[in-house]
Amino acid sequence: MAKSRQHFSSQDSSLSPTSVRSKEWEGPSRWTEYLGPEPSPMTSRSSRTAGPDGQIIQSAGVSHKGLNMQWVVQLTEVAEGLMAKMYRLNQILDYPDPVGHTFSEAFWKAGVFPNHPRLCLLLSKKFPEHYSKLQLERVDKVALDALHDNAELHLQSLEPWVQLLLDLMAFREQALRLILDLSSTVITLLPHQNSLILHAFMDLFCSFVRVNLFSEKIPRKMMLQMYNLLHAISRNDRDCDFYHRLVQFIDGYDPPLKGLKEDLNFVSPRIGEVLEAVGPIIFLSTDTRKLRNEGFLSPYHPRYPDILTNSAHPMRAQDLANVTSYREWVLFGYLVCPDELLRVTSIDIALVVLKENLVLTLFRDEYILLHEEYQLFVLPRIIESKKMAKSGRTKQKEADLEYSVAKQVEKMISEVHEQALLSCDAIHRERRILLKQEIGIMVLFFTDQPSLLAPNIQMVFSALAFTQCEVLWYFQHVGIASSKSKAVRMVSVEIDPSDPTIGFLLDGMDHLCCLVRKYIAAIRGYALSYLSSCAGRIRFLLNTPGMVALDLDASLKSHFQQIVQHLENIPKPQGENVSAITCDLSEFRKDWLSILMIVTSSRSSINIRHLEKATVSTGKEGLLSEGNAAYNWSRCVDVLESQLSKYASLKKLYFYHQHLTAVFRNTMFGPEGRPEHCCAWLGVASSFPECASSIVPEEVTKIGRDAVLYVESLIESIMGGLEGLINILDSEGGFGALENQLLPEQAASYMNSASRISITSTKSPKGAPGFPLPGHESRPENNASIKMLEAAVQRLTNLCSVLNDMEPICVLNHVFVLREYMRECILGNLMRRLLAVLKTDNDLQRPTVLELLIRRHISIIHLAEQHISMDLTQGIREVFLSEAFSGPVSSLHLFEKPEEQHTGSATETVCNWYIENIIKDISGAGILFAPIHKCFKSTRPVGGYFADSVTDLRELKAFARIFGGYGVDRLDRLLKEHTAALLNCIDTSLRSNRDVLEAVAGSLHSGDRNEREASIKQIVDIDTVIGFCVQAGLALAFDRSLAEAAGTVLFEGAPLIHSLLAGISKHIPEEIPEKKEVRRLRGVANNVGVVDNHDSQWVRLILEEVGGANDGSWSLLPYFFAAFMTSNIWTTTAFNVDTGGFNNNIHCLARCISAVIAGSEFVRVEREYQQRQSLSNGHVGESVDSEQSRLSAEASIKSTMQLFVKFSASIILDSWSETNRSHLVAQLIFLDQLCEISPYLPRSSLEPHVPYAILRSIYSQYYTNSPNTPLALLSISPRHSPAVSLSHASPAARQPRGDSTQYDSGYFKGSSSHGQEHIYDGGSSRSTEHRQQNFRRSGPLDYGSSRKVKFAEGSTSGNTGPSPLPRFAVSRSGPILYK
């Protein structure tokens, strides 16, 4: 055989699948690919072999009287490699169905088979007929020609997989020979006598069955037939080597169970004996009540809890660790050896296992439907046995018993499928609940009593193995559909995808493994002590009379002596240095296994029964029992980690990781979910890469990638749950329910509702207004919601604590630190929450409400921060800074904003809303500025609120607190940009109407009324420009309120800085031109409201930035503004006492006129100064010239303002008539308000043109008709003094300095007939700048009841604001002293 292979290889080694095999067919040398260059029979990954350590069997030797156990373990590993290859082929071919000849499109595109379906399917269906008999030319001539052209290429793609078929055939022959040899030579295969060899034998048996059952899932027939056809095409119609042997092999295993039954018929009785022997352990594992009541998995005796170490059932508890293997033995054993079901006890064993399983796992996630296979292949054999027994009933007595058993087995197999569909999930759920309780007790017990962990380590292994089995069963059966035996329809198994016990089991396993690793030194110390004591017992047993009488041969005796020496040479643990002891007991295990190989062989003169009889008579444990116990404890010394991996590894869950993720999401944050379980769910992924097979190198990359994606998916779910908990607490049903406060209008509604109910009435008014009242959460009916809130808080804190303490998750070269994910999650959720609460269903959220919501969310973050060893406060600052930053603060920062710099979307959203809805009023809500209330009002809601609900000082302060200086500066910049655009419109209008305005100016100075009216009518779009000016005035008013709010917030948060700015602003050098540092400082002071003349300074900055007012047409500004008096807008203008303004915001025009005239004059004078400097080359005295320029600017402003008042009054009074006087009152009040607003226009300048008696009469009528104003205030009038009569400020003189009450009466001297002042005193002009703006009340005559007027002897005092009445002291129409 070997020669023929070599001959073939020499002829064409490139195309033969056997060319890679240059060695002999027989023996382990052909399996080098599967075992590696230095085959190790036991590796850490082979948890199903006789032992998990790597050196148990390698050099155990093949005794002339013993068994060759090395091949047993090697062939088990070869089986794993073969199945890994078949699994990979299935993946490549998109999981075909060779039995039903169903192949997907991906199958043909995989590149393994030629893409000629008709030929391939014909060859497969006609197997085992030779291709020469199929007349392929008639089937598909084109495909056959294509095969001739590409035969070499197709041969290369099929060659490795045909080699797999050869390996399967060779494995079948070698494994079967070894199984038959073991079955015939091993004396006993009972678990309590020969467990090590039993497990090795049964593992090989099950692997043999698995490999052959799995081979049915690959297209063996098509592969062989197509390869032979291609080989014949390229080799002159000659069949490939081993073709006929492979045909015989595949045909004999079609279906595989047919060949398995024939091959294993000889070992069937031994398999039946083994299954009967493990039956009691299987029965025990299914009896949850017995397990619980008798404490098989409890560290203490359930009936005697004072006895801490439970030694009631030590061997049975240890056997439970192998119960998973026992169940597989039963399922595979009775499937391929159905005659063993006819044993009397077998039916109960099979029934128990079949009733709780629906699938039989072959490899990884590949399985066969268990009950379908039993009904197709086992049931016919049982029926045949029943018929034979029935026909032989008259011949032998045993026939009756055989017939009865066969009938029972037939009934059991027929009915157990239905029972399994109905009860398997309930059985395993009950078992999971038991394990949840027992493992929970174990964790608590061993955490409290760690010294008892070592004596009970075997019990811990049993609990871990039991739990591992249940977890795997759960995921193996999720989504399984099984066909009923008497129906075609498929029935899905009802597996609860939200079973919370899975999380408890994973967490319990994780905790137990952590405890074992934590106290590994104690376990090693206990095991070393046990082995030391065992040495004396074994030496004693070897010297007993029975052993002496056996007369052992020299080889066996030397092995026993070596065992004793190994045990006696074990180092003695002393003190606390156990962890430092390095002890390798692999040689001890090799020698003991060598002894077992000899004494369990029927070829040996001394066997296991002789040893037991010679030593058990001492009344103690027999020699083999002691040796087996020492063997087990030795593994707790140097290979404890591999033992732990064997019983607790969940690496197979990788193949169900999608179901794993789904169950996690359904259970983690459910009512019975526990946050601490997430550590175990994540930790499972660390073992996923261990599933990769060295036979398939690409698996390492794929499984590693999938493991990383699994962890990322779970972390995403955990962080989503964390966000959900935070958002639940942050909702109105969470902490929001504890913060209910009544708005003023809600309180009024409630009071009105309550007042309608009689005092004697028993009815409660609580439900009348329709909103919850503060304290409603304390009522008994709300206890449940409060408890849910407390549970959410508890779960949040627990989750944060668990994630904070969790060790990093390592998957290959990826490390996941949950603390970092948690920080990013919390801060990211804060950012999303901030952006979400900015808007309501209707529109922008009120800043005060927004601030409360943010503070509530931050309080929850601080609650979580107490359980996290990270600084979240700094992260909160970063979030708000990132959302508030929209560029450098213009008056503070000198750097330019980088183009790629992120700007805060929250700030942009809020600021743009204010510009669009309040300043521009794009929704047409009728926005009005109320000077008295210093806020904006609207005739209808702007979005969800009226304008005053979002623009009063309280709301703007909340805005400043939320977005800080960056937010205030951004809103200020948007207002400046909008105002700059409006000023540009004014500039454009001035330029376009320059000639007309010059004519208007000439006519005003000449007094030619007709020419003036004709010229004014030629001004284009005067009403449009008035609208622009009103909008600019609105922007000025809003920015002033914003500056006041920013100043208040600055004073609350940083009073020293506010005090510093307020003090510096009084001493800023007033020079023209200003230095850059002075200008920046004045801008900062202006932005926080500590500068007197906010409006003019603000407009001045705008004009300087955009280069405005640089044209000579701006000298015509007072005439242009005076022409506004002829607009039709005045016919619809009415004064409102309640707001202190007009119904169409025309009072904002006065603010605009005052600021624009002052700002433009400052800019003009500064430009003229710079021109003089450039012409004089700097020889003029700088300090003197700048001071004169400042005085000149102030004089020019006052002159221009007075010029405007003069001509405006002239136009107003000239246009008055008996038939047309509707506009007169509004225009006169407008001029009076202008005098009040402007710091450069005293009311005395209005007296020559509009006697104040007229204004007083107008105001008297307005306030008399106002129902809210007490008329008694009209009789109050201060005393007069010359200082007041000549004062610049009409209500009061300048602010007193120190405790002095004297006033500087020389503020300005003299007046012309037109009321224009030209000579100014330097000190008095400075006092103009220092006068506080709050001494000018909004409204010409504020008779509010809250006003208080104080009088000093001979002067007025402005401590609480000036009185509106002293303005009458400047009237020249006679004394107006009202008593």
Side-chain angles (χ1 to χ4, degrees):
M1 186 182 300
K3 290 181 181 179
S4 64
R5 287 174 55 82
Q6 292 172 2
H7 176 69
F8 176 83
S9 178
S10 65
Q11 286 182 350
D12 193 341
S13 61
S14 63
L15 294 177
S16 171
T18 61
S19 62
V20 295
R21 300 289 186 235
S22 60
K23 297 186 179 181
E24 58 191 6
W25 175 269
E26 306 296 339
S29 56
R30 81 167 269 118
W31 306 115
T32 305
E33 178 187 0
Y34 298 92
L35 300 174
E38 295 181 1
S40 173
M42 306 288 292
T43 62
S44 60
R45 67 180 179 85
S46 59
S47 61
R48 302 176 50 82
T49 55
D53 46 296
Q55 299 82 17
I56 295 180
I57 306 171
Q58 181 177 355
S59 60
V62 183
S63 172
H64 65 285
K65 297 181 181 179
L67 305 171
N68 191 349
M69 291 300 295
Q70 183 176 359
W71 281 26
V72 177
V73 181
Q74 283 183 344
L75 284 179
T76 305
E77 288 191 11
V78 170
E80 293 286 325
L82 289 170
M83 287 188 285
K85 276 193 173 183
M86 289 189 286
Y87 188 87
R88 178 58 184 159
L89 178 60
N90 255 3
Q91 286 181 325
I92 295 173
L93 298 179
D94 193 31
Y95 303 99
D97 179 17
V99 177
H101 300 286
T102 304
F103 306 97
S104 65
E105 189 68 24
F107 175 89
W108 302 109
K109 294 181 179 180
V112 176
F113 291 92
N115 193 3
H116 304 301
R118 293 180 63 187
L119 280 181
C120 293
L121 288 174
L122 178 67
L123 289 171
S124 177
K125 290 179 180 179
K126 295 297 183 180
F127 181 88
E129 290 188 31
H130 196 270
Y131 70 90
S132 60
K133 301 178 181 179
L134 299 179
Q135 298 180 344
L136 299 179
E137 297 85 356
R138 296 185 179 182
V139 177
D140 195 339
K141 182 69 169 61
V142 177
L144 192 62
D145 293 340
L147 287 179
H148 279 79
D149 296 337
N150 301 292
E152 303 288 341
L153 183 63
H154 293 312
L155 271 174
Q156 291 178 8
S157 62
L158 274 174
E159 182 176 348
W161 305 114
V162 173
Q163 180 62 56
L164 176 61
L165 292 180
L166 287 171
D167 290 340
L168 288 171
M169 184 171 65
F171 172 79
R172 177 248 178 184
E173 294 177 2
Q174 293 190 21
L176 185 59
R177 186 181 301 117
L178 193 54
I179 290 172
L180 295 176
D181 184 53
L182 286 172
S183 175
S184 61
T185 57
V186 175
I187 296 175
T188 177
L189 285 173
L190 299 180
H192 63 280
Q193 291 181 344
N194 194 17
S195 62
L196 296 177
I197 294 178
L198 169 63
H199 278 268
F201 169 75
M202 289 305 295
D203 284 345
L204 178 60
F205 171 81
C206 291
S207 297
F208 177 74
V209 176
R210 277 195 174 94
V211 167
N212 287 286
L213 289 177
F214 195 11
S215 65
E216 189 180 23
K217 293 179 176 288
I218 63 173
R220 299 171 296 168
K221 302 174 184 178
M222 184 186 297
M223 192 183 302
L224 177 59
Q225 294 286 72
M226 181 54 67
Y227 184 85
N228 191 52
L229 172 63
L230 292 169
H231 187 277
I233 290 173
S234 60
R235 297 294 179 271
N236 299 322
D237 293 333
R238 183 167 57 83
D239 292 335
C240 62
D241 284 358
F242 297 103
Y243 170 71
H244 297 287
R245 287 191 62 193
L246 283 174
V247 168
Q248 184 180 2
F249 166 64
I250 294 173
D251 189 52
Y253 274 77
D254 184 28
L257 281 173
K258 181 185 74 172
L260 286 170
K261 288 178 183 177
E262 295 175 358
D263 288 344
L264 297 173
N265 186 54
F266 180 75
V267 301
S268 180
R270 297 304 301 270
I271 297 298
E273 293 175 6
V274 171
L275 299 185
E276 278 189 325
V278 300
I281 299 299
I282 293 176
F283 292 143
L284 175 63
S285 68
T286 59
D287 192 345
T288 55
R289 180 177 297 179
K290 187 174 183 180
L291 288 173
R292 180 185 290 111
N293 293 343
E294 298 194 14
F296 282 93
L297 295 175
S298 178
Y300 53 86
H301 199 286
R303 291 191 296 274
Y304 309 102
D306 294 338
I307 304 175
L308 294 182
T309 303
N310 183 12
S311 57
H313 315 282
M315 291 305 296
R316 283 292 176 87
Q318 182 175 331
D319 285 340
L320 286 174
N322 302 314
V323 73
T324 306
S325 300
Y326 295 165
R327 288 172 180 155
E328 290 181 352
W329 297 355
V330 169
L331 295 177
F332 283 117
Y334 290 135
L335 182 62
V336 298
C337 303
D339 290 337
E340 302 311 309
L341 277 171
L342 299 176
R343 293 172 180 257
V344 178
T345 57
S346 296
I347 184 172
D348 295 327
I349 299 173
L351 175 62
V352 164
V353 181
L354 286 171
K355 191 166 61 174
E356 60 184 36
N357 289 281
L358 292 170
V359 300
L360 183 55
T361 303
L362 300 179
F363 182 70
R364 297 180 175 175
D365 58 341
E366 293 287 348
Y367 64 89
I368 58 174
L369 294 174
L370 180 63
H371 296 277
E372 283 77 353
E373 298 295 324
Y374 266 77
Q375 290 176 358
L376 287 174
F377 298 102
V378 177
L379 188 59
R381 177 61 181 164
I382 300 300
I383 294 175
E384 181 183 351
S385 299
K386 186 182 74 169
K387 290 179 179 178
M388 291 178 60
K390 185 176 182 180
S391 61
R393 293 173 78 179
T394 57
K395 298 180 181 179
Q396 51 184 349
K397 298 180 180 179
E398 291 79 6
D400 288 336
L401 178 61
E402 185 178 346
Y403 175 81
S404 175
V405 171
K407 190 174 181 180
Q408 292 179 28
V409 173
E410 178 189 8
K411 181 180 179 183
M412 182 268 293
I413 294 177
S414 302
E415 296 177 354
V416 72
H417 187 194
E418 188 75 23
Q419 296 176 19
L421 287 172
L422 296 175
S423 62
C424 67
D425 184 47
I427 292 172
H428 285 274
R429 185 185 300 113
E430 182 182 5
R431 199 171 297 161
R432 290 196 298 271
I433 293 173
L434 166 72
L435 290 172
K436 166 190 168 183
Q437 297 168 348
E438 296 296 331
I439 286 188
I441 293 172
M442 272 192 181
V443 170
L444 293 176
F445 182 83
F446 290 130
T447 303
D448 185 57
Q449 300 287 339
S451 60
L452 297 178
L453 178 61
N456 290 285
I457 189 64
Q458 299 298 334
M459 183 183 296
V460 171
F461 287 155
S462 297
L464 289 173
F466 217 149
T467 309
Q468 177 193 53
C469 172
E470 289 304 314
V471 172
L472 290 174
W473 183 94
Y474 178 86
F475 288 102
Q476 287 168 353
H477 285 74
V478 170
I480 295 298
S482 179
S483 62
K484 287 191 173 183
S485 57
K486 297 182 180 179
V488 181
R489 65 187 182 91
M490 303 296 286
V491 179
S492 60
V493 187
E494 295 295 333
I495 303 294
D496 184 8
S498 58
D499 188 352
T501 58
I502 299 298
F504 282 96
L505 295 183
L506 292 177
D507 183 62
M509 292 181 70
D510 183 60
H511 275 83
L512 278 181
C513 291
C514 290
L515 284 172
V516 172
R517 293 187 178 99
K518 182 178 180 181
Y519 299 107
I520 192 169
I523 297 170
R524 291 181 63 202
Y526 183 89
L528 289 171
S529 300
Y530 180 90
L531 293 175
S532 298
S533 64
C534 189
R537 292 195 295 271
I538 292 179
R539 181 176 290 278
F540 169 77
L541 291 173
L542 289 174
N543 294 327
T544 57
M547 286 297 295
V548 174
L550 280 179
D551 191 19
L552 303 178
D553 59 18
S555 174
L556 190 57
K557 186 178 295 185
S558 66
H559 279 303
F560 277 117
Q561 293 300 327
Q562 289 177 3
I563 291 294
V564 175
Q565 290 177 7
H566 286 311
L567 295 177
E568 290 179 344
N569 292 334
I570 288 175
K572 304 295 187 293
Q574 296 177 356
E576 299 179 358
N577 63 343
V578 179
S579 58
I581 296 177
T582 56
C583 184
D584 185 4
L585 297 177
S586 58
E587 293 297 327
F588 162 74
R589 288 191 289 273
K590 292 176 191 175
D591 291 337
W592 180 251
L593 197 57
S594 299
I595 293 173
L596 288 182
M597 292 176 186
I598 295 172
V599 301
T600 55
S601 173
S602 60
R603 303 185 185 102
S604 175
S605 58
I606 304 297
N607 60 42
I608 191 171
R609 294 190 180 93
H610 299 146
L611 293 178
E612 281 296 308
K613 289 180 179 179
T615 56
V616 78
S617 59
T618 60
K620 301 179 180 179
E621 290 288 341
L623 181 61
L624 288 177
S625 298
E626 286 286 355
N628 286 335
Y631 184 96
N632 287 330
W633 277 107
S634 71
R635 291 185 293 190
C636 293
V637 175
D638 54 350
V639 288
L640 181 61
E641 192 64 38
S642 64
Q643 285 287 95
L644 200 58
S645 174
K646 172 183 176 180
Y647 295 118
S649 174
L650 293 171
K651 62 182 181 181
K652 291 183 182 178
L653 288 181
Y654 160 72
F655 303 102
Y656 311 97
H657 64 269
Q658 294 179 345
H659 294 313
L660 202 66
T661 304
V663 174
F664 171 81
R665 289 173 176 168
N666 287 332
T667 60
M668 173 53 60
F669 297 100
E672 296 186 44
R674 297 292 185 274
E676 55 269 20
H677 294 172
C678 63
C679 301
W681 287 92
L682 288 168
V684 170
S686 299
S687 61
F688 284 175
E690 298 174 13
C691 293
S693 173
S694 59
I695 307 297
V696 187
E698 59 268 26
E699 276 190 348
V700 177
T701 303
K702 181 182 183 304
I703 293 178
R705 183 175 63 250
D706 290 343
V708 170
L709 292 176
Y710 164 79
V711 174
E712 290 176 348
S713 175
L714 254 63
I715 290 177
E716 181 182 354
S717 299
I718 293 170
M719 297 307 140
L722 178 62
E723 285 186 18
L725 288 172
I726 293 176
N727 293 337
I728 286 173
L729 294 175
D730 192 29
S731 65
E732 293 305 317
F735 285 163
L738 308 179
E739 298 175 354
N740 280 333
Q741 297 180 3
L742 296 183
L743 298 175
E745 55 269 24
Q746 291 176 331
S749 173
Y750 179 77
M751 294 293 290
N752 291 335
S753 176
S755 63
R756 296 191 191 104
I757 300 175
S758 173
I759 298 177
T760 58
S761 174
T762 58
K763 295 181 180 180
S764 173
K766 64 182 179 182
F771 42 80
L773 298 176
H776 75 100
E777 69 277 358
S778 301
R779 293 178 183 147
E781 60 267 23
N782 296 320
N783 284 344
S785 60
I786 298 300
K787 288 181 179 179
M788 291 181 62
L789 189 59
E790 293 173 350
V793 171
Q794 184 67 32
R795 183 164 290 193
L796 173 65
T797 54
N798 286 350
L799 181 60
C800 291
S801 179
V802 167
L803 296 180
N804 180 70
D805 298 336
M806 187 175 180
E807 294 295 326
I809 303 296
C810 301
V811 180
L812 294 181
N813 58 343
H814 291 73
V815 180
F816 300 91
V817 182
L818 271 296
R819 278 193 298 270
E820 296 296 333
Y821 281 93
M822 183 165 50
R823 182 181 188 274
E824 294 301 321
C825 167
I826 292 175
L827 297 181
N829 185 52
L830 171 62
M831 183 176 294
R832 290 188 292 273
R833 179 65 174 166
L834 172 62
L835 296 177
V837 298
L838 280 178
K839 296 290 187 73
T840 62
D841 295 337
N842 299 319
D843 218 329
L844 185 75
Q845 183 65 272
R846 291 175 61 179
T848 49
V849 177
L850 177 62
E851 184 183 19
L852 289 175
L853 294 175
I854 292 173
R855 289 187 183 278
R856 185 171 74 196
H857 194 91
I858 292 176
S859 69
I860 297 171
I861 295 178
H862 286 159
L863 175 66
E865 188 180 21
Q866 298 174 9
H867 304 271
I868 304 174
S869 56
M870 301 182 74
D871 183 11
L872 294 181
T873 305
Q874 181 64 27
I876 294 173
R877 295 193 186 103
E878 293 172 0
V879 168
F880 280 99
L881 182 61
S882 65
E883 288 303 316
F885 180 76
S886 55
V889 177
S890 54
S891 56
L892 287 176
H893 300 153
L894 298 178
F895 64 89
E896 295 293 332
K897 184 176 79 70
E899 294 182 0
E900 68 277 4
Q901 177 66 49
H902 166 78
T903 56
S905 57
T907 303
E908 290 291 333
T909 301
V910 177
C911 293
N912 288 332
W913 188 92
Y914 273 112
I915 296 296
E916 298 294 329
N917 292 276
I918 302 300
I919 305 301
K920 296 182 181 179
D921 191 18
I922 60 174
S923 61
I927 301 295
L928 296 173
F929 176 67
I932 290 179
H933 305 103
K934 295 184 180 180
C935 70
F936 293 80
K937 295 182 178 292
S938 59
T939 56
R940 63 182 181 83
V942 183
Y945 303 98
F946 285 93
D948 55 342
S949 298
V950 291
T951 59
D952 65 2
L953 187 61
R954 180 166 169 260
E955 301 295 333
L956 293 179
K957 286 194 293 184
F959 169 82
R961 281 191 294 269
I962 296 170
F963 298 105
Y966 287 113
V968 172
D969 182 72
R970 179 57 182 164
L971 186 52
D972 178 75
R973 271 185 290 159
L974 289 177
L975 290 169
K976 282 181 179 177
E977 291 171 5
H978 180 63
T979 306
L982 297 174
L983 293 177
N984 184 57
C985 295
I986 297 174
D987 179 71
T988 303
S989 185
L990 281 172
R991 293 171 187 267
S992 61
N993 294 296
R994 181 167 184 170
D995 296 338
V996 177
L997 289 175
E998 288 177 348
V1000 170
S1003 63
L1004 285 171
H1005 283 287
S1006 64
D1008 189 343
R1009 178 176 178 180
N1010 294 329
E1011 182 184 355
R1012 181 193 69 197
E1013 292 178 352
S1015 300
I1016 289 176
K1017 288 181 181 179
Q1018 297 178 22
I1019 298 176
V1020 180
D1021 294 333
I1022 191 169
D1023 288 341
T1024 304
V1025 177
I1026 291 176
F1028 290 154
C1029 292
V1030 169
Q1031 218 173 100
L1034 278 173
L1036 285 165
F1038 190 91
D1039 192 78
R1040 183 175 182 80
S1041 299
L1042 180 65
E1044 184 179 351
T1048 305
V1049 173
L1050 181 64
F1051 180 77
E1052 294 171 354
L1056 292 179
I1057 296 178
H1058 183 274
S1059 175
L1060 179 65
L1061 288 173
I1064 290 177
S1065 64
K1066 297 177 181 178
H1067 303 284
I1068 296 177
E1070 298 182 358
E1071 302 172 343
I1072 294 182
E1074 290 181 332
K1075 297 179 180 178
K1076 290 183 179 180
E1077 293 77 8
V1078 173
R1079 184 177 303 169
R1080 288 176 58 209
L1081 186 58
R1082 192 184 299 278
V1084 173
N1086 200 33
N1087 285 342
V1088 295
V1090 295
V1091 175
D1092 298 337
N1093 193 9
H1094 170 274
D1095 295 351
S1096 60
Q1097 292 293 337
W1098 200 64
V1099 172
R1100 176 184 177 183
L1101 290 173
I1102 295 174
L1103 293 175
E1104 289 175 347
E1105 288 178 4
V1106 301
N1110 58 357
D1111 187 76
S1113 60
W1114 280 77
S1115 61
L1116 301 172
L1117 197 60
Y1119 307 105
F1120 187 45
F1121 285 155
F1124 288 175
M1125 298 298 113
T1126 63
S1127 172
N1128 292 328
I1129 195 172
W1130 297 102
T1131 59
T1132 58
T1133 301
F1135 180 70
N1136 189 334
V1137 177
D1138 294 331
T1139 63
F1142 294 95
N1143 63 334
N1144 55 1
N1145 274 328
I1146 205 67
H1147 50 282
C1148 293
L1149 177 63
R1151 187 178 295 273
C1152 175
I1153 290 172
S1154 171
V1156 171
I1157 289 177
S1160 63
E1161 286 300 319
F1162 274 119
V1163 172
R1164 181 185 63 79
V1165 171
E1166 183 174 353
R1167 188 176 296 111
E1168 290 176 355
Y1169 174 84
Q1170 291 173 347
Q1171 291 174 356
R1172 290 198 305 271
Q1173 285 289 94
S1174 62
L1175 292 175
S1176 63
N1177 294 324
H1179 294 300
V1180 181
E1182 182 178 348
S1183 61
V1184 177
D1185 197 17
S1186 63
E1187 182 69 15
Q1188 291 177 353
S1189 297
R1190 182 185 59 79
L1191 295 174
S1192 173
E1194 291 183 355
S1196 178
I1197 293 170
K1198 292 177 181 178
S1199 173
T1200 304
M1201 292 292 294
Q1202 291 174 2
L1203 188 64
F1204 164 75
V1205 169
K1206 171 187 174 182
F1207 291 137
S1208 295
S1210 174
I1211 292 173
I1212 292 169
L1213 296 177
D1214 286 347
S1215 63
W1216 173 82
S1217 65
E1218 290 295 335
T1219 59
N1220 183 23
R1221 57 180 181 180
S1222 60
H1223 62 281
L1224 179 62
V1225 172
Q1227 290 175 328
L1228 293 180
I1229 294 177
F1230 171 81
L1231 291 179
D1232 182 65
Q1233 286 194 341
L1234 177 64
C1235 294
E1236 182 185 10
I1237 290 171
S1238 175
Y1240 303 100
L1241 189 64
R1243 277 203 172 92
S1244 59
S1245 60
L1246 183 62
E1247 182 66 20
H1249 316 292
V1250 181
Y1252 216 88
I1254 297 176
L1255 293 173
R1256 191 261 176 199
S1257 176
I1258 292 171
Y1259 287 136
S1260 178
Q1261 293 180 21
Y1262 269 111
Y1263 284 93
T1264 301
N1265 294 331
S1266 175
N1268 298 326
T1269 305
L1271 298 180
L1273 287 176
L1274 296 176
S1275 62
I1276 302 177
S1277 179
R1279 297 175 63 183
H1280 297 272
S1281 69
V1284 175
S1285 64
L1286 295 178
S1287 173
H1288 164 63
S1290 57
R1294 292 177 296 113
Q1295 182 178 0
R1297 304 190 180 187
D1299 55 353
S1300 173
T1301 59
Q1302 297 300 319
Y1303 292 85
D1304 184 4
S1305 61
Y1307 183 81
F1308 61 85
K1309 300 179 180 179
S1311 63
S1312 67
S1313 60
H1314 300 293
Q1316 299 181 12
E1317 293 80 17
H1318 302 284
I1319 304 175
Y1320 297 87
D1321 178 63
S1324 62
S1325 64
R1326 182 178 295 272
S1327 68
T1328 303
E1329 296 295 325
H1330 288 170
R1331 190 170 54 243
Q1332 295 293 326
Q1333 186 65 26
N1334 62 349
F1335 286 95
R1336 293 189 172 275
R1337 300 293 179 178
S1338 58
L1341 284 177
D1342 192 353
Y1343 291 108
S1345 59
S1346 61
R1347 277 283 176 89
K1348 295 184 179 179
V1349 184
K1350 295 183 179 181
F1351 305 102
E1353 186 67 25
S1355 67
T1356 60
S1357 173
N1359 292 333
T1360 60
S1363 166
L1365 297 180
R1367 70 185 71 184
F1368 302 124
V1370 299
S1371 174
R1372 298 180 181 177
S1373 59
I1376 318 175
L1377 183 58
Y1378 299 96
K1379 300 293 183 180

